[in-house]
């Protein structure tokens, strides 16, 4: 994050060098936020899509309260021993008594938008860093609005005519009926268009020949994966990040398995995806 920046009355916002990602300074999330602060955070999230709050020292209750300012945090059915509240989901490679304490391990998790394999995918996700590896394990977000805007005319026209089927790589996580979404979605609040396909969760383009579908998707993925669209976050203990899944994709880089990474996630479900 670089130089100082315009701050709204209620918030100290420090944008980074990318079109997404801004740091919010001066908030202690153990405290309740005022209505004015909440709406300023909401507005800033609509602009920057990824917000960084450093040096937090919060517990599960604080995280769930913060998340609930922006919607209803979803409850996870999966059992995890080391959480106090069902709205918290632990992301970790750590095992205790041969049992993983959380999900997602230590490998690369390629670009995706949370829960896009559901009819009502995730809107806002919040991730709080408890333990971080010395190296690796960065998370990167792609600004899919900017990526869409930068498509050439023909490809953008084609993208707008397509729907993609999304599925989770673990078959049991999928609903019985396949879920598809428009390849170009419109943000319900900002009305901005963004590309909505991802190497991790998109299976194929609906009604398009298999080879062509693969080729086209690869073109979109290569296009999205350009430095000018990406905000990369190197985690420190106490970082809390929130992001809007509608106009972004994120990926988690790999890290050595002998290093510990423990994060807590909360998540809000969204509305159906609209074109
Ligand atoms: C997630 C996720 C990335 C990370 O929680 O949805 O993709 O950095 N996590 O752990
Ligand atoms: Mn994710």
């Amino acid at each position: 994050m670089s130089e100082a920046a315009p701050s709204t009355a209620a918030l100290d916002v420090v944008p980074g060098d990318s079109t997404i990602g801004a740091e919010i300074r001066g908030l202690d999330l153990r405290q309740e936020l005022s209505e004015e602060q909440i709406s300023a955070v909401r507005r800033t999230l609509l602009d920057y899509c990824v917000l960084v709050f450093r040096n937090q020292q919060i517990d599960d209750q604080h995280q769930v309260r913060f998340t609930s300012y922006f919607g209803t945090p979803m409850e996870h059915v999966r059992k995890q021993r080391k959480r106090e509240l069902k709205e918290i989901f632990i992301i970790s490679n750590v095992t205790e008594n041969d049992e993983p304490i959380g999900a997602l391990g230590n490998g690369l998790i390629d670009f995706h938008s949370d829960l896009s394999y559901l009819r009502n995918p995730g809107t806002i996700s919040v991730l709080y860093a408890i333990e971080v590896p010395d190296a690796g394990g960065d998370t990167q977000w792609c600004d899919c609005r900017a990526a869409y805007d930068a498509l050439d005319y023909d490809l953008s026209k084609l993208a707008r005519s397509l729907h993609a089927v999304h599925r989770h790589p673990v078959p049991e996580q999928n609903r019985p009926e396949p879920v598809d979404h428009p390849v170009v979605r419109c943000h319900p609040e900002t009305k901005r268009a963004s590309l909505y396909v991802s190497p991790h969760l998109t299976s194929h383009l609906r009604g398009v020949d298999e080879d062509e579908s693969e080729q086209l998707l690869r073109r979109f993925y290569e296009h999205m994966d350009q430095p000018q669209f990406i905000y990369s976050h190197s985690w420190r203990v106490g970082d809390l990040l929130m992001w809007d899944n509608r106009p972004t994709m994120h990926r988690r880089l790999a890290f050595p398995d002998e290093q510990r990474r423990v994060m807590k996630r909360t998540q809000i479900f969204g509305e159906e995806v609209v074109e």
Side-chain angles (χ1 to χ4, degrees):
M1 303 283 152
S2 60
E3 67 218 315
S7 50
T8 63
L11 220 54
D12 184 3
V13 179
V14 184
D17 302 325
S18 320
T19 50
I20 50 170
E23 185 181 341
I24 307 289
R25 298 231 174 115
L27 287 188
D28 176 353
L29 302 181
R30 287 174 301 191
Q31 312 294 329
E32 268 187 62
L33 300 190
S34 67
E35 283 302 320
E36 199 191 2
Q37 287 172 320
I38 295 167
S39 55
V41 171
R42 196 192 295 274
R43 280 198 310 275
T44 311
L45 182 67
L46 289 175
D47 281 346
Y48 290 100
C49 303
V50 183
L51 302 183
V52 179
F53 304 77
R54 299 260 193 206
N55 301 315
Q56 300 298 319
Q57 290 181 300
I58 56 169
D59 62 22
D60 288 4
Q61 269 86 8
H62 296 129
Q63 184 169 346
V64 170
R65 180 179 64 191
F66 174 73
T67 309
S68 62
Y69 293 146
F70 310 99
T72 306
M74 122 190 201
E75 294 190 3
H76 286 268
V77 284
R78 262 160 89 182
K79 280 216 174 60
Q80 290 186 320
R81 278 187 303 109
K82 295 183 79 72
R83 61 172 176 187
E84 294 163 48
L85 300 175
K86 286 206 288 288
E87 292 90 345
I88 298 280
F89 194 64
I90 299 174
I91 307 293
S92 184
N93 65 321
V94 172
T95 54
E96 282 179 14
N97 307 319
D98 288 335
E99 217 188 292
I101 65 163
L104 300 188
N106 70 310
L108 167 77
I109 302 175
D110 212 343
F111 274 124
H112 64 282
S113 175
D114 287 336
L115 309 175
S116 74
Y117 53 93
L118 301 179
R119 175 109 335 263
N120 295 57
T123 50
I124 293 168
S125 299
V126 174
L127 198 58
Y128 176 54
I130 312 284
E131 292 185 61
V132 301
D134 296 336
D138 292 1
T139 309
Q140 303 183 322
W141 281 264
C142 170
D143 184 347
C144 298
R145 308 167 304 185
Y148 170 74
D149 290 345
L151 286 174
D152 68 45
Y153 179 81
D154 290 341
L155 195 54
S156 107
K157 191 166 170 214
L158 178 61
R160 284 197 304 277
S161 72
L162 296 168
H163 280 68
V165 176
H166 293 239
R167 53 101 196 86
H168 196 279
V170 179
E172 301 82 66
Q173 305 251 7
N174 291 298
R175 300 290 184 271
E177 307 82 43
V179 167
D180 64 65
H181 301 298
V183 166
V184 179
R185 71 177 295 182
C186 172
H187 194 290
E189 288 169 74
T190 66
K191 307 297 177 206
R192 282 192 67 179
S194 58
L195 262 182
Y196 196 64
V197 283
S198 76
H200 185 48
L201 296 177
T202 302
S203 129
H204 59 277
L205 296 169
R206 195 183 73 191
V208 175
D209 158 87
E210 199 177 316
D211 285 349
E212 200 187 334
S213 163
E214 257 177 48
Q215 267 181 35
L216 264 173
L217 286 173
R218 206 168 323 117
R219 265 180 91 181
F220 291 133
Y221 302 154
E222 279 167 11
H223 173 75
M224 286 156 64
D225 198 353
Q226 299 188 63
Q228 66 270 31
F229 304 136
I230 291 180
Y231 167 68
S232 192
H233 189 75
S234 176
W235 291 89
R236 296 185 214 154
V237 171
D239 285 353
L240 179 139
L241 269 72
M242 76 187 295
W243 68 91
D244 189 344
N245 282 285
R246 294 165 289 190
T248 60
M249 298 284 156
H250 57 282
R251 74 178 155 206
R252 199 274 312 273
L253 304 183
F255 60 98
D257 199 25
E258 64 277 9
Q259 301 241 344
R260 292 169 63 96
R261 188 177 190 269
V262 181
M263 323 283 275
K264 290 186 172 177
R265 194 180 73 174
T266 38
Q267 168 93 63
I268 296 170
F269 267 134
E271 57 282 310
E272 282 197 27
V273 176
V274 291
E275 281 163 71

